[in-house]
Amino acid sequence: STRVNQAFAKGNKAATSLSYSFTILGNVIKNEGFQAITRGMGTNAFKRALDWVVRFYIRESLTDPIKARRAKSLKPGEKVQLTDVDKLWTSLAAGGISVYVSTPLDRLLPLLQQRDSSKTTVELLREQFKGGMSKIYAGAVARSAHAALHVCFLMYVGEKIKSAFKN
C-alpha cells in the first residue's frame, strides 16, 4: 500500500484502482523478488502492538483517577461507573496522544519497505532524523486527530455496540 499511496501522492489517479494495485504488486515481485512484500512486517507488527499498548495504557491512566475519586462517595458493594463523557474524552485523548509515541516508527516503515539492500536500518534512521524532529512529526496533528477518532470509535462505540447485544 505504501507504493500505491506514493503513486497517488504524485498525482497518478489510476493508483486508486484495484487493478493498478495489482500491477504495482506484480512489478515489485518481478523486480525485487517475493521477499520484498514482507519488508517491514516486523516493524509494522511492533508498531501496531506499541500503538494499542500505549492507547490502552493512556486510557486506563486517565480513567483510574476518575474511578478513585468517585469510589469515595459510593456505598459498600456499589461499582464505579464511568459516564459516556468520561469514556469519550479518555478514548479521544488516548488515540491522539499515542501518535506521538509511534510516529518515528511510522516514518521508518515506508523506508524499510522500499529500501535498496545497500542501506542498513541505521542509515535509514539517520537519513530520516536528519531533518530534525519537525520533519519526523510533520503532519502529526492531522494524524493525531485521525487516531483520536479511530480509537474513540473502537473503544467507545465498540463498547456501546457490545453492550447493546448483551441486553
Side-chain angles (χ1 to χ4, degrees):
S1 70
T2 299
R3 296 180 196 212
V4 173
N5 289 341
Q6 289 170 339
F8 186 71
K10 290 178 183 173
N12 187 339
K13 301 296 182 207
T16 60
S17 74
L18 186 59
S19 63
Y20 190 81
S21 296
F22 281 112
T23 301
I24 289 175
L25 177 64
N27 289 340
V28 167
I29 292 171
K30 182 175 134 189
N31 297 331
E32 301 173 41
F34 188 77
Q35 75 280 4
I37 62 172
T38 62
R39 270 192 220 131
M41 279 184 137
T43 304
N44 191 44
F46 177 74
K47 179 215 159 309
R48 299 305 302 156
L50 179 66
D51 273 344
W52 284 100
V53 165
V54 168
R55 290 168 182 174
F56 279 105
Y57 177 78
I58 291 170
R59 186 170 190 229
E60 291 304 310
S61 295
L62 293 170
T63 58
D64 285 347
I66 296 168
K67 290 177 181 177
R69 189 175 59 246
R70 290 193 182 142
K72 292 177 184 176
S73 63
L74 293 178
K75 296 175 185 164
E78 285 184 317
K79 189 177 177 184
V80 175
Q81 297 291 323
L82 293 173
T83 66
D84 285 346
V85 172
D86 296 331
K87 293 173 186 176
L88 274 171
W89 82 261
T90 55
S91 296
L92 286 166
I97 294 167
S98 71
V99 166
Y100 296 92
V101 174
S102 63
T103 291
L105 289 172
D106 283 337
R107 295 288 188 227
L108 178 62
L109 188 59
L111 298 173
L112 288 173
Q113 290 173 330
Q114 55 182 294
R115 73 172 170 189
D116 60 30
S117 57
S118 68
K119 291 184 181 179
T120 66
T121 302
V122 173
E123 289 171 324
L124 289 172
L125 281 170
R126 282 191 186 126
E127 286 176 11
Q128 190 64 27
F129 282 93
K130 194 179 278 183
M133 296 307 271
S134 61
K135 180 181 176 189
I136 291 169
Y137 284 98
V141 172
R143 293 172 45 154
S144 185
H146 168 85
L149 293 172
H150 177 82
V151 172
C152 182
F153 180 81
L154 290 174
M155 289 183 170
Y156 175 75
V157 177
E159 185 179 296
K160 289 293 185 189
I161 292 168
K162 183 178 165 185
S163 67
F165 284 103
K166 276 186 177 179
N167 298 333

PDB file of all heavy atoms in Angstrom, residues 33-46:
ATOM      1  N   GLY A  33      11.703  -9.541  -6.148  1.00  0.00           N
ATOM      2  CA  GLY A  33      11.511 -10.853  -5.532  1.00  0.00           C
ATOM      3  C   GLY A  33      10.357 -10.836  -4.544  1.00  0.00           C
ATOM      4  O   GLY A  33       9.929  -9.781  -4.066  1.00  0.00           O
ATOM      5  N   PHE A  34       9.856 -12.037  -4.244  1.00  0.00           N
ATOM      6  CA  PHE A  34       8.694 -12.165  -3.372  1.00  0.00           C
ATOM      7  C   PHE A  34       8.956 -11.618  -1.964  1.00  0.00           C
ATOM      8  O   PHE A  34       8.064 -11.076  -1.325  1.00  0.00           O
ATOM      9  CB  PHE A  34       8.258 -13.640  -3.291  1.00  0.00           C
ATOM     10  CG  PHE A  34       6.966 -13.829  -2.570  1.00  0.00           C
ATOM     11  CD1 PHE A  34       5.762 -13.534  -3.194  1.00  0.00           C
ATOM     12  CD2 PHE A  34       6.945 -14.276  -1.263  1.00  0.00           C
ATOM     13  CE1 PHE A  34       4.559 -13.685  -2.517  1.00  0.00           C
ATOM     14  CE2 PHE A  34       5.753 -14.433  -0.575  1.00  0.00           C
ATOM     15  CZ  PHE A  34       4.550 -14.135  -1.217  1.00  0.00           C
ATOM     16  N   GLN A  35      10.189 -11.752  -1.480  1.00  0.00           N
ATOM     17  CA  GLN A  35      10.506 -11.290  -0.133  1.00  0.00           C
ATOM     18  C   GLN A  35      10.326  -9.781   0.024  1.00  0.00           C
ATOM     19  O   GLN A  35      10.179  -9.283   1.142  1.00  0.00           O
ATOM     20  CB  GLN A  35      11.920 -11.727   0.292  1.00  0.00           C
ATOM     21  CG  GLN A  35      13.046 -10.948  -0.346  1.00  0.00           C
ATOM     22  CD  GLN A  35      13.393 -11.391  -1.769  1.00  0.00           C
ATOM     23  OE1 GLN A  35      12.741 -12.257  -2.333  1.00  0.00           O
ATOM     24  NE2 GLN A  35      14.413 -10.789  -2.338  1.00  0.00           N
ATOM     25  N   ALA A  36      10.285  -9.061  -1.071  1.00  0.00           N
ATOM     26  CA  ALA A  36      10.123  -7.603  -0.998  1.00  0.00           C
ATOM     27  C   ALA A  36       8.779  -7.217  -0.376  1.00  0.00           C
ATOM     28  O   ALA A  36       8.683  -6.173   0.275  1.00  0.00           O
ATOM     29  CB  ALA A  36      10.243  -6.982  -2.382  1.00  0.00           C
ATOM     30  N   ILE A  37       7.757  -8.053  -0.549  1.00  0.00           N
ATOM     31  CA  ILE A  37       6.447  -7.678   0.004  1.00  0.00           C
ATOM     32  C   ILE A  37       6.363  -7.899   1.518  1.00  0.00           C
ATOM     33  O   ILE A  37       5.433  -7.444   2.154  1.00  0.00           O
ATOM     34  CB  ILE A  37       5.272  -8.387  -0.714  1.00  0.00           C
ATOM     35  CG1 ILE A  37       5.348  -9.893  -0.550  1.00  0.00           C
ATOM     36  CG2 ILE A  37       5.223  -7.999  -2.171  1.00  0.00           C
ATOM     37  CD1 ILE A  37       4.121 -10.605  -1.076  1.00  0.00           C
ATOM     38  N   THR A  38       7.350  -8.592   2.079  1.00  0.00           N
ATOM     39  CA  THR A  38       7.350  -8.794   3.531  1.00  0.00           C
ATOM     40  C   THR A  38       8.285  -7.827   4.258  1.00  0.00           C
ATOM     41  O   THR A  38       8.359  -7.861   5.479  1.00  0.00           O
ATOM     42  CB  THR A  38       7.752 -10.239   3.881  1.00  0.00           C
ATOM     43  OG1 THR A  38       9.090 -10.480   3.422  1.00  0.00           O
ATOM     44  CG2 THR A  38       6.800 -11.242   3.263  1.00  0.00           C
ATOM     45  N   ARG A  39       8.967  -6.970   3.527  1.00  0.00           N
ATOM     46  CA  ARG A  39       9.859  -5.990   4.167  1.00  0.00           C
ATOM     47  C   ARG A  39       9.072  -5.093   5.105  1.00  0.00           C
ATOM     48  O   ARG A  39       8.032  -4.576   4.750  1.00  0.00           O
ATOM     49  CB  ARG A  39      10.521  -5.103   3.115  1.00  0.00           C
ATOM     50  CG  ARG A  39      11.807  -5.640   2.626  1.00  0.00           C
ATOM     51  CD  ARG A  39      12.533  -4.573   1.809  1.00  0.00           C
ATOM     52  NE  ARG A  39      13.125  -5.232   0.672  1.00  0.00           N
ATOM     53  CZ  ARG A  39      13.027  -4.826  -0.580  1.00  0.00           C
ATOM     54  NH1 ARG A  39      12.401  -3.723  -0.872  1.00  0.00           N
ATOM     55  NH2 ARG A  39      13.592  -5.507  -1.533  1.00  0.00           N
ATOM     56  N   GLY A  40       9.597  -4.924   6.276  1.00  0.00           N
ATOM     57  CA  GLY A  40       8.963  -4.028   7.239  1.00  0.00           C
ATOM     58  C   GLY A  40       7.853  -4.658   8.054  1.00  0.00           C
ATOM     59  O   GLY A  40       7.247  -3.993   8.889  1.00  0.00           O
ATOM     60  N   MET A  41       7.573  -5.952   7.832  1.00  0.00           N
ATOM     61  CA  MET A  41       6.474  -6.583   8.579  1.00  0.00           C
ATOM     62  C   MET A  41       6.740  -6.624  10.078  1.00  0.00           C
ATOM     63  O   MET A  41       5.833  -6.388  10.872  1.00  0.00           O
ATOM     64  CB  MET A  41       6.210  -7.995   8.071  1.00  0.00           C
ATOM     65  CG  MET A  41       5.369  -8.040   6.839  1.00  0.00           C
ATOM     66  SD  MET A  41       5.028  -9.748   6.420  1.00  0.00           S
ATOM     67  CE  MET A  41       3.322  -9.632   6.011  1.00  0.00           C
ATOM     68  N   GLY A  42       7.967  -6.913  10.459  1.00  0.00           N
ATOM     69  CA  GLY A  42       8.298  -6.946  11.883  1.00  0.00           C
ATOM     70  C   GLY A  42       8.124  -5.580  12.514  1.00  0.00           C
ATOM     71  O   GLY A  42       7.560  -5.447  13.611  1.00  0.00           O
ATOM     72  N   THR A  43       8.599  -4.557  11.816  1.00  0.00           N
ATOM     73  CA  THR A  43       8.453  -3.187  12.307  1.00  0.00           C
ATOM     74  C   THR A  43       6.980  -2.811  12.405  1.00  0.00           C
ATOM     75  O   THR A  43       6.547  -2.201  13.384  1.00  0.00           O
ATOM     76  CB  THR A  43       9.192  -2.195  11.383  1.00  0.00           C
ATOM     77  OG1 THR A  43      10.549  -2.596  11.285  1.00  0.00           O
ATOM     78  CG2 THR A  43       9.102  -0.772  11.892  1.00  0.00           C
ATOM     79  N   ASN A  44       6.202  -3.202  11.412  1.00  0.00           N
ATOM     80  CA  ASN A  44       4.776  -2.885  11.417  1.00  0.00           C
ATOM     81  C   ASN A  44       4.065  -3.597  12.573  1.00  0.00           C
ATOM     82  O   ASN A  44       3.237  -2.992  13.256  1.00  0.00           O
ATOM     83  CB  ASN A  44       4.132  -3.263  10.085  1.00  0.00           C
ATOM     84  CG  ASN A  44       2.735  -2.706   9.963  1.00  0.00           C
ATOM     85  OD1 ASN A  44       2.490  -1.557  10.289  1.00  0.00           O
ATOM     86  ND2 ASN A  44       1.821  -3.539   9.511  1.00  0.00           N
ATOM     87  N   ALA A  45       4.375  -4.863  12.796  1.00  0.00           N
ATOM     88  CA  ALA A  45       3.749  -5.600  13.897  1.00  0.00           C
ATOM     89  C   ALA A  45       4.108  -4.963  15.234  1.00  0.00           C
ATOM     90  O   ALA A  45       3.244  -4.786  16.107  1.00  0.00           O
ATOM     91  CB  ALA A  45       4.183  -7.059  13.864  1.00  0.00           C
ATOM     92  N   PHE A  46       5.374  -4.588  15.404  1.00  0.00           N
ATOM     93  CA  PHE A  46       5.809  -3.930  16.637  1.00  0.00           C
ATOM     94  C   PHE A  46       5.098  -2.591  16.812  1.00  0.00           C
ATOM     95  O   PHE A  46       4.627  -2.256  17.895  1.00  0.00           O
ATOM     96  CB  PHE A  46       7.331  -3.729  16.628  1.00  0.00           C
ATOM     97  CG  PHE A  46       7.835  -2.995  17.822  1.00  0.00           C
ATOM     98  CD1 PHE A  46       7.911  -3.620  19.056  1.00  0.00           C
ATOM     99  CD2 PHE A  46       8.217  -1.669  17.726  1.00  0.00           C
ATOM    100  CE1 PHE A  46       8.354  -2.934  20.177  1.00  0.00           C
ATOM    101  CE2 PHE A  46       8.671  -0.975  18.842  1.00  0.00           C
ATOM    102  CZ  PHE A  46       8.732  -1.607  20.067  1.00  0.00           C
TER     103      PHE A  46
END
